[in-house]
PDB file of all heavy atoms in Angstrom:
ATOM      1  N   LYS D 227      83.959  51.958  54.661  1.00  0.00           N
ATOM      2  CA  LYS D 227      84.226  53.127  53.805  1.00  0.00           C
ATOM      3  C   LYS D 227      85.500  52.954  52.983  1.00  0.00           C
ATOM      4  O   LYS D 227      86.246  53.896  52.769  1.00  0.00           O
ATOM      5  CB  LYS D 227      84.296  54.405  54.639  1.00  0.00           C
ATOM      6  CG  LYS D 227      82.999  54.708  55.345  1.00  0.00           C
ATOM      7  CD  LYS D 227      83.086  55.976  56.141  1.00  0.00           C
ATOM      8  CE  LYS D 227      81.765  56.200  56.841  1.00  0.00           C
ATOM      9  NZ  LYS D 227      81.739  57.407  57.606  1.00  0.00           N
ATOM     10  N   ASP D 228      85.746  51.732  52.539  1.00  0.00           N
ATOM     11  CA  ASP D 228      86.927  51.418  51.740  1.00  0.00           C
ATOM     12  C   ASP D 228      86.601  50.158  50.940  1.00  0.00           C
ATOM     13  O   ASP D 228      86.336  49.103  51.530  1.00  0.00           O
ATOM     14  CB  ASP D 228      88.133  51.191  52.656  1.00  0.00           C
ATOM     15  CG  ASP D 228      89.409  50.884  51.905  1.00  0.00           C
ATOM     16  OD1 ASP D 228      89.399  49.947  51.070  1.00  0.00           O
ATOM     17  OD2 ASP D 228      90.416  51.555  52.164  1.00  0.00           O
ATOM     18  N   THR D 229      86.653  50.253  49.620  1.00  0.00           N
ATOM     19  CA  THR D 229      86.256  49.114  48.792  1.00  0.00           C
ATOM     20  C   THR D 229      87.198  47.923  48.951  1.00  0.00           C
ATOM     21  O   THR D 229      86.751  46.779  48.917  1.00  0.00           O
ATOM     22  CB  THR D 229      86.166  49.505  47.303  1.00  0.00           C
ATOM     23  OG1 THR D 229      87.422  50.030  46.884  1.00  0.00           O
ATOM     24  CG2 THR D 229      85.073  50.534  47.077  1.00  0.00           C
ATOM     25  N   TYR D 230      88.486  48.182  49.122  1.00  0.00           N
ATOM     26  CA  TYR D 230      89.427  47.071  49.281  1.00  0.00           C
ATOM     27  C   TYR D 230      89.220  46.352  50.608  1.00  0.00           C
ATOM     28  O   TYR D 230      89.233  45.118  50.670  1.00  0.00           O
ATOM     29  CB  TYR D 230      90.878  47.568  49.162  1.00  0.00           C
ATOM     30  CG  TYR D 230      91.176  48.108  47.788  1.00  0.00           C
ATOM     31  CD1 TYR D 230      91.403  49.463  47.596  1.00  0.00           C
ATOM     32  CD2 TYR D 230      91.204  47.269  46.681  1.00  0.00           C
ATOM     33  CE1 TYR D 230      91.665  49.963  46.327  1.00  0.00           C
ATOM     34  CE2 TYR D 230      91.461  47.760  45.409  1.00  0.00           C
ATOM     35  CZ  TYR D 230      91.694  49.114  45.240  1.00  0.00           C
ATOM     36  OH  TYR D 230      91.940  49.597  43.990  1.00  0.00           O
ATOM     37  N   LEU D 231      89.013  47.134  51.670  1.00  0.00           N
ATOM     38  CA  LEU D 231      88.730  46.507  52.961  1.00  0.00           C
ATOM     39  C   LEU D 231      87.396  45.768  52.928  1.00  0.00           C
ATOM     40  O   LEU D 231      87.249  44.707  53.541  1.00  0.00           O
ATOM     41  CB  LEU D 231      88.726  47.555  54.080  1.00  0.00           C
ATOM     42  CG  LEU D 231      90.080  48.134  54.478  1.00  0.00           C
ATOM     43  CD1 LEU D 231      89.911  49.213  55.536  1.00  0.00           C
ATOM     44  CD2 LEU D 231      91.015  47.044  54.971  1.00  0.00           C
ATOM     45  N   ALA D 232      86.428  46.328  52.198  1.00  0.00           N
ATOM     46  CA  ALA D 232      85.123  45.675  52.077  1.00  0.00           C
ATOM     47  C   ALA D 232      85.273  44.323  51.385  1.00  0.00           C
ATOM     48  O   ALA D 232      84.658  43.337  51.794  1.00  0.00           O
ATOM     49  CB  ALA D 232      84.147  46.560  51.324  1.00  0.00           C
ATOM     50  N   GLN D 233      86.096  44.265  50.352  1.00  0.00           N
ATOM     51  CA  GLN D 233      86.326  42.994  49.661  1.00  0.00           C
ATOM     52  C   GLN D 233      86.984  41.983  50.606  1.00  0.00           C
ATOM     53  O   GLN D 233      86.614  40.806  50.614  1.00  0.00           O
ATOM     54  CB  GLN D 233      87.196  43.218  48.424  1.00  0.00           C
ATOM     55  CG  GLN D 233      86.475  43.973  47.334  1.00  0.00           C
ATOM     56  CD  GLN D 233      87.406  44.459  46.226  1.00  0.00           C
ATOM     57  OE1 GLN D 233      88.617  44.268  46.273  1.00  0.00           O
ATOM     58  NE2 GLN D 233      86.825  45.099  45.228  1.00  0.00           N
ATOM     59  N   ASP D 234      87.942  42.460  51.400  1.00  0.00           N
ATOM     60  CA  ASP D 234      88.572  41.582  52.393  1.00  0.00           C
ATOM     61  C   ASP D 234      87.545  41.077  53.402  1.00  0.00           C
ATOM     62  O   ASP D 234      87.542  39.898  53.770  1.00  0.00           O
ATOM     63  CB  ASP D 234      89.690  42.311  53.142  1.00  0.00           C
ATOM     64  CG  ASP D 234      90.902  42.581  52.272  1.00  0.00           C
ATOM     65  OD1 ASP D 234      91.024  41.987  51.179  1.00  0.00           O
ATOM     66  OD2 ASP D 234      91.737  43.412  52.695  1.00  0.00           O
ATOM     67  N   ALA D 235      86.677  41.976  53.851  1.00  0.00           N
ATOM     68  CA  ALA D 235      85.651  41.608  54.833  1.00  0.00           C
ATOM     69  C   ALA D 235      84.695  40.567  54.255  1.00  0.00           C
ATOM     70  O   ALA D 235      84.325  39.609  54.949  1.00  0.00           O
ATOM     71  CB  ALA D 235      84.885  42.840  55.295  1.00  0.00           C
ATOM     72  N   VAL D 236      84.306  40.747  53.008  1.00  0.00           N
ATOM     73  CA  VAL D 236      83.397  39.783  52.373  1.00  0.00           C
ATOM     74  C   VAL D 236      84.072  38.416  52.296  1.00  0.00           C
ATOM     75  O   VAL D 236      83.469  37.396  52.625  1.00  0.00           O
ATOM     76  CB  VAL D 236      82.961  40.282  50.975  1.00  0.00           C
ATOM     77  CG1 VAL D 236      82.260  39.186  50.196  1.00  0.00           C
ATOM     78  CG2 VAL D 236      82.064  41.504  51.105  1.00  0.00           C
ATOM     79  N   GLN D 237      85.321  38.421  51.886  1.00  0.00           N
ATOM     80  CA  GLN D 237      86.051  37.167  51.788  1.00  0.00           C
ATOM     81  C   GLN D 237      86.133  36.471  53.148  1.00  0.00           C
ATOM     82  O   GLN D 237      85.836  35.278  53.265  1.00  0.00           O
ATOM     83  CB  GLN D 237      87.449  37.423  51.236  1.00  0.00           C
ATOM     84  CG  GLN D 237      88.253  36.162  51.020  1.00  0.00           C
ATOM     85  CD  GLN D 237      89.615  36.444  50.407  1.00  0.00           C
ATOM     86  OE1 GLN D 237      90.005  37.580  50.204  1.00  0.00           O
ATOM     87  NE2 GLN D 237      90.344  35.386  50.125  1.00  0.00           N
ATOM     88  N   GLU D 238      86.501  37.221  54.186  1.00  0.00           N
ATOM     89  CA  GLU D 238      86.583  36.643  55.530  1.00  0.00           C
ATOM     90  C   GLU D 238      85.222  36.153  56.015  1.00  0.00           C
ATOM     91  O   GLU D 238      85.120  35.110  56.668  1.00  0.00           O
ATOM     92  CB  GLU D 238      87.159  37.663  56.510  1.00  0.00           C
ATOM     93  CG  GLU D 238      88.634  37.906  56.341  1.00  0.00           C
ATOM     94  CD  GLU D 238      89.197  38.875  57.366  1.00  0.00           C
ATOM     95  OE1 GLU D 238      88.804  38.780  58.548  1.00  0.00           O
ATOM     96  OE2 GLU D 238      90.015  39.716  56.974  1.00  0.00           O
ATOM     97  N   THR D 239      84.180  36.910  55.699  1.00  0.00           N
ATOM     98  CA  THR D 239      82.824  36.534  56.110  1.00  0.00           C
ATOM     99  C   THR D 239      82.429  35.189  55.525  1.00  0.00           C
ATOM    100  O   THR D 239      81.942  34.298  56.234  1.00  0.00           O
ATOM    101  CB  THR D 239      81.813  37.620  55.685  1.00  0.00           C
ATOM    102  OG1 THR D 239      82.132  38.836  56.361  1.00  0.00           O
ATOM    103  CG2 THR D 239      80.381  37.215  55.999  1.00  0.00           C
ATOM    104  N   TYR D 240      82.644  35.025  54.228  1.00  0.00           N
ATOM    105  CA  TYR D 240      82.231  33.774  53.588  1.00  0.00           C
ATOM    106  C   TYR D 240      83.148  32.605  53.938  1.00  0.00           C
ATOM    107  O   TYR D 240      82.678  31.458  54.001  1.00  0.00           O
ATOM    108  CB  TYR D 240      82.089  33.959  52.076  1.00  0.00           C
ATOM    109  CG  TYR D 240      80.811  34.689  51.752  1.00  0.00           C
ATOM    110  CD1 TYR D 240      80.824  36.036  51.431  1.00  0.00           C
ATOM    111  CD2 TYR D 240      79.581  34.049  51.833  1.00  0.00           C
ATOM    112  CE1 TYR D 240      79.654  36.724  51.167  1.00  0.00           C
ATOM    113  CE2 TYR D 240      78.396  34.722  51.577  1.00  0.00           C
ATOM    114  CZ  TYR D 240      78.433  36.063  51.243  1.00  0.00           C
ATOM    115  OH  TYR D 240      77.264  36.740  50.997  1.00  0.00           O
ATOM    116  N   ILE D 241      84.404  32.856  54.195  1.00  0.00           N
ATOM    117  CA  ILE D 241      85.288  31.782  54.660  1.00  0.00           C
ATOM    118  C   ILE D 241      84.795  31.281  56.013  1.00  0.00           C
ATOM    119  O   ILE D 241      84.665  30.071  56.247  1.00  0.00           O
ATOM    120  CB  ILE D 241      86.756  32.259  54.741  1.00  0.00           C
ATOM    121  CG1 ILE D 241      87.330  32.425  53.331  1.00  0.00           C
ATOM    122  CG2 ILE D 241      87.601  31.291  55.562  1.00  0.00           C
ATOM    123  CD1 ILE D 241      88.678  33.117  53.289  1.00  0.00           C
ATOM    124  N   HIS D 242      84.493  32.235  56.907  1.00  0.00           N
ATOM    125  CA  HIS D 242      83.971  31.863  58.227  1.00  0.00           C
ATOM    126  C   HIS D 242      82.644  31.108  58.083  1.00  0.00           C
ATOM    127  O   HIS D 242      82.413  30.090  58.763  1.00  0.00           O
ATOM    128  CB  HIS D 242      83.789  33.114  59.090  1.00  0.00           C
ATOM    129  CG  HIS D 242      83.302  32.813  60.469  1.00  0.00           C
ATOM    130  ND1 HIS D 242      84.141  32.451  61.497  1.00  0.00           N
ATOM    131  CD2 HIS D 242      82.043  32.793  60.987  1.00  0.00           C
ATOM    132  CE1 HIS D 242      83.426  32.230  62.584  1.00  0.00           C
ATOM    133  NE2 HIS D 242      82.149  32.433  62.300  1.00  0.00           N
ATOM    134  N   ALA D 243      81.783  31.600  57.202  1.00  0.00           N
ATOM    135  CA  ALA D 243      80.480  30.952  57.005  1.00  0.00           C
ATOM    136  C   ALA D 243      80.650  29.529  56.478  1.00  0.00           C
ATOM    137  O   ALA D 243      79.989  28.599  56.957  1.00  0.00           O
ATOM    138  CB  ALA D 243      79.629  31.777  56.050  1.00  0.00           C
ATOM    139  N   LEU D 244      81.534  29.340  55.519  1.00  0.00           N
ATOM    140  CA  LEU D 244      81.761  28.012  54.957  1.00  0.00           C
ATOM    141  C   LEU D 244      82.296  27.049  56.013  1.00  0.00           C
ATOM    142  O   LEU D 244      81.835  25.907  56.118  1.00  0.00           O
ATOM    143  CB  LEU D 244      82.730  28.095  53.771  1.00  0.00           C
ATOM    144  CG  LEU D 244      83.046  26.778  53.064  1.00  0.00           C
ATOM    145  CD1 LEU D 244      81.781  26.147  52.504  1.00  0.00           C
ATOM    146  CD2 LEU D 244      84.063  27.010  51.954  1.00  0.00           C
ATOM    147  N   ARG D 245      83.228  27.526  56.811  1.00  0.00           N
ATOM    148  CA  ARG D 245      83.817  26.671  57.844  1.00  0.00           C
ATOM    149  C   ARG D 245      82.819  26.296  58.939  1.00  0.00           C
ATOM    150  O   ARG D 245      82.964  25.280  59.607  1.00  0.00           O
ATOM    151  CB  ARG D 245      85.012  27.363  58.487  1.00  0.00           C
ATOM    152  CG  ARG D 245      86.214  27.413  57.590  1.00  0.00           C
ATOM    153  CD  ARG D 245      87.373  28.074  58.274  1.00  0.00           C
ATOM    154  NE  ARG D 245      88.533  28.106  57.397  1.00  0.00           N
ATOM    155  CZ  ARG D 245      89.519  28.956  57.510  1.00  0.00           C
ATOM    156  NH1 ARG D 245      89.526  29.865  58.474  1.00  0.00           N
ATOM    157  NH2 ARG D 245      90.532  28.919  56.673  1.00  0.00           N
ATOM    158  N   ASN D 246      81.838  27.161  59.157  1.00  0.00           N
ATOM    159  CA  ASN D 246      80.927  26.964  60.288  1.00  0.00           C
ATOM    160  C   ASN D 246      79.483  26.699  59.892  1.00  0.00           C
ATOM    161  O   ASN D 246      78.593  26.765  60.738  1.00  0.00           O
ATOM    162  CB  ASN D 246      81.002  28.188  61.207  1.00  0.00           C
ATOM    163  CG  ASN D 246      82.363  28.327  61.835  1.00  0.00           C
ATOM    164  OD1 ASN D 246      82.713  27.570  62.725  1.00  0.00           O
ATOM    165  ND2 ASN D 246      83.159  29.269  61.350  1.00  0.00           N
ATOM    166  N   ILE D 247      79.228  26.405  58.634  1.00  0.00           N
ATOM    167  CA  ILE D 247      77.851  26.234  58.147  1.00  0.00           C
ATOM    168  C   ILE D 247      77.102  25.140  58.908  1.00  0.00           C
ATOM    169  O   ILE D 247      75.898  25.240  59.118  1.00  0.00           O
ATOM    170  CB  ILE D 247      77.830  25.972  56.621  1.00  0.00           C
ATOM    171  CG1 ILE D 247      76.412  26.072  56.055  1.00  0.00           C
ATOM    172  CG2 ILE D 247      78.410  24.610  56.271  1.00  0.00           C
ATOM    173  CD1 ILE D 247      76.023  27.444  55.661  1.00  0.00           C
ATOM    174  N   ARG D 248      77.821  24.141  59.369  1.00  0.00           N
ATOM    175  CA  ARG D 248      77.160  23.037  60.092  1.00  0.00           C
ATOM    176  C   ARG D 248      76.668  23.449  61.481  1.00  0.00           C
ATOM    177  O   ARG D 248      75.913  22.727  62.104  1.00  0.00           O
ATOM    178  CB  ARG D 248      78.111  21.846  60.195  1.00  0.00           C
ATOM    179  CG  ARG D 248      78.294  21.156  58.860  1.00  0.00           C
ATOM    180  CD  ARG D 248      79.126  19.882  58.979  1.00  0.00           C
ATOM    181  NE  ARG D 248      79.163  19.192  57.711  1.00  0.00           N
ATOM    182  CZ  ARG D 248      80.107  19.373  56.797  1.00  0.00           C
ATOM    183  NH1 ARG D 248      81.093  20.213  57.017  1.00  0.00           N
ATOM    184  NH2 ARG D 248      80.071  18.701  55.658  1.00  0.00           N
ATOM    185  N   LYS D 249      77.109  24.600  61.957  1.00  0.00           N
ATOM    186  CA  LYS D 249      76.726  25.063  63.296  1.00  0.00           C
ATOM    187  C   LYS D 249      75.369  25.764  63.318  1.00  0.00           C
ATOM    188  O   LYS D 249      74.867  26.096  64.387  1.00  0.00           O
ATOM    189  CB  LYS D 249      77.794  26.001  63.861  1.00  0.00           C
ATOM    190  CG  LYS D 249      79.101  25.298  64.134  1.00  0.00           C
ATOM    191  CD  LYS D 249      80.127  26.238  64.716  1.00  0.00           C
ATOM    192  CE  LYS D 249      81.447  25.525  64.966  1.00  0.00           C
ATOM    193  NZ  LYS D 249      82.461  26.434  65.499  1.00  0.00           N
ATOM    194  N   ILE D 250      74.788  26.020  62.152  1.00  0.00           N
ATOM    195  CA  ILE D 250      73.478  26.694  62.112  1.00  0.00           C
ATOM    196  C   ILE D 250      72.404  25.689  62.504  1.00  0.00           C
ATOM    197  O   ILE D 250      72.202  24.685  61.831  1.00  0.00           O
ATOM    198  CB  ILE D 250      73.160  27.252  60.706  1.00  0.00           C
ATOM    199  CG1 ILE D 250      74.216  28.249  60.270  1.00  0.00           C
ATOM    200  CG2 ILE D 250      71.775  27.889  60.692  1.00  0.00           C
ATOM    201  CD1 ILE D 250      74.020  28.745  58.853  1.00  0.00           C
ATOM    202  N   ASN D 251      71.720  25.982  63.610  1.00  0.00           N
ATOM    203  CA  ASN D 251      70.653  25.089  64.069  1.00  0.00           C
ATOM    204  C   ASN D 251      69.370  25.278  63.271  1.00  0.00           C
ATOM    205  O   ASN D 251      68.651  24.325  63.007  1.00  0.00           O
ATOM    206  CB  ASN D 251      70.361  25.309  65.554  1.00  0.00           C
ATOM    207  CG  ASN D 251      71.543  24.888  66.417  1.00  0.00           C
ATOM    208  OD1 ASN D 251      72.261  23.957  66.088  1.00  0.00           O
ATOM    209  ND2 ASN D 251      71.750  25.588  67.514  1.00  0.00           N
ATOM    210  N   ASP D 252      69.054  26.513  62.914  1.00  0.00           N
ATOM    211  CA  ASP D 252      67.849  26.805  62.143  1.00  0.00           C
ATOM    212  C   ASP D 252      68.285  27.377  60.796  1.00  0.00           C
ATOM    213  O   ASP D 252      68.597  28.568  60.693  1.00  0.00           O
ATOM    214  CB  ASP D 252      66.960  27.804  62.888  1.00  0.00           C
ATOM    215  CG  ASP D 252      65.638  28.056  62.187  1.00  0.00           C
ATOM    216  OD1 ASP D 252      65.465  27.638  61.016  1.00  0.00           O
ATOM    217  OD2 ASP D 252      64.765  28.690  62.813  1.00  0.00           O
ATOM    218  N   PRO D 253      68.329  26.541  59.754  1.00  0.00           N
ATOM    219  CA  PRO D 253      68.822  26.982  58.447  1.00  0.00           C
ATOM    220  C   PRO D 253      68.081  28.182  57.859  1.00  0.00           C
ATOM    221  O   PRO D 253      68.642  28.926  57.071  1.00  0.00           O
ATOM    222  CB  PRO D 253      68.639  25.746  57.562  1.00  0.00           C
ATOM    223  CG  PRO D 253      68.687  24.598  58.510  1.00  0.00           C
ATOM    224  CD  PRO D 253      68.021  25.111  59.761  1.00  0.00           C
ATOM    225  N   SER D 254      66.828  28.393  58.257  1.00  0.00           N
ATOM    226  CA  SER D 254      66.082  29.532  57.711  1.00  0.00           C
ATOM    227  C   SER D 254      66.612  30.862  58.248  1.00  0.00           C
ATOM    228  O   SER D 254      66.255  31.919  57.741  1.00  0.00           O
ATOM    229  CB  SER D 254      64.589  29.392  58.017  1.00  0.00           C
ATOM    230  OG  SER D 254      64.358  29.500  59.409  1.00  0.00           O
ATOM    231  N   LEU D 255      67.492  30.820  59.257  1.00  0.00           N
ATOM    232  CA  LEU D 255      68.065  32.045  59.827  1.00  0.00           C
ATOM    233  C   LEU D 255      69.452  32.357  59.251  1.00  0.00           C
ATOM    234  O   LEU D 255      70.195  33.145  59.818  1.00  0.00           O
ATOM    235  CB  LEU D 255      68.152  31.916  61.349  1.00  0.00           C
ATOM    236  CG  LEU D 255      66.831  31.773  62.081  1.00  0.00           C
ATOM    237  CD1 LEU D 255      67.050  31.597  63.575  1.00  0.00           C
ATOM    238  CD2 LEU D 255      65.931  32.972  61.816  1.00  0.00           C
ATOM    239  N   PHE D 256      69.768  31.780  58.105  1.00  0.00           N
ATOM    240  CA  PHE D 256      71.076  31.992  57.481  1.00  0.00           C
ATOM    241  C   PHE D 256      71.367  33.475  57.253  1.00  0.00           C
ATOM    242  O   PHE D 256      72.483  33.936  57.497  1.00  0.00           O
ATOM    243  CB  PHE D 256      71.156  31.235  56.148  1.00  0.00           C
ATOM    244  CG  PHE D 256      72.447  31.480  55.409  1.00  0.00           C
ATOM    245  CD1 PHE D 256      73.600  30.793  55.770  1.00  0.00           C
ATOM    246  CD2 PHE D 256      72.518  32.392  54.374  1.00  0.00           C
ATOM    247  CE1 PHE D 256      74.801  31.015  55.108  1.00  0.00           C
ATOM    248  CE2 PHE D 256      73.713  32.629  53.705  1.00  0.00           C
ATOM    249  CZ  PHE D 256      74.861  31.933  54.066  1.00  0.00           C
ATOM    250  N   ILE D 257      70.389  34.243  56.794  1.00  0.00           N
ATOM    251  CA  ILE D 257      70.613  35.665  56.493  1.00  0.00           C
ATOM    252  C   ILE D 257      71.031  36.414  57.752  1.00  0.00           C
ATOM    253  O   ILE D 257      72.007  37.176  57.738  1.00  0.00           O
ATOM    254  CB  ILE D 257      69.346  36.315  55.869  1.00  0.00           C
ATOM    255  CG1 ILE D 257      68.965  35.605  54.563  1.00  0.00           C
ATOM    256  CG2 ILE D 257      69.548  37.802  55.647  1.00  0.00           C
ATOM    257  CD1 ILE D 257      70.026  35.643  53.489  1.00  0.00           C
ATOM    258  N   ALA D 258      70.329  36.203  58.848  1.00  0.00           N
ATOM    259  CA  ALA D 258      70.697  36.862  60.107  1.00  0.00           C
ATOM    260  C   ALA D 258      72.088  36.419  60.551  1.00  0.00           C
ATOM    261  O   ALA D 258      72.889  37.227  61.026  1.00  0.00           O
ATOM    262  CB  ALA D 258      69.668  36.553  61.188  1.00  0.00           C
TER     263      ALA D 258
END
């Protein structure tokens, strides 16, 4: 319920995803 915090959350989410992309065993489950 805060656009600035939401932007921070998105940034943290994608940083985490980029750092850990190799850990996905089933690539088709990326969305989940």
Side-chain angles (χ1 to χ4, degrees):
K227 298 181 181 181
D228 181 307
T229 57
Y230 296 111
L231 288 177
Q233 290 168 358
D234 290 346
V236 168
Q237 184 177 4
E238 287 183 41
T239 297
Y240 284 102
I241 288 170
H242 182 84
L244 181 60
R245 287 181 180 157
N246 295 287
I247 191 87
R248 288 186 174 92
K249 293 181 181 179
I250 301 175
N251 294 327
D252 185 349
S254 67
L255 297 178
F256 176 80
I257 300 300

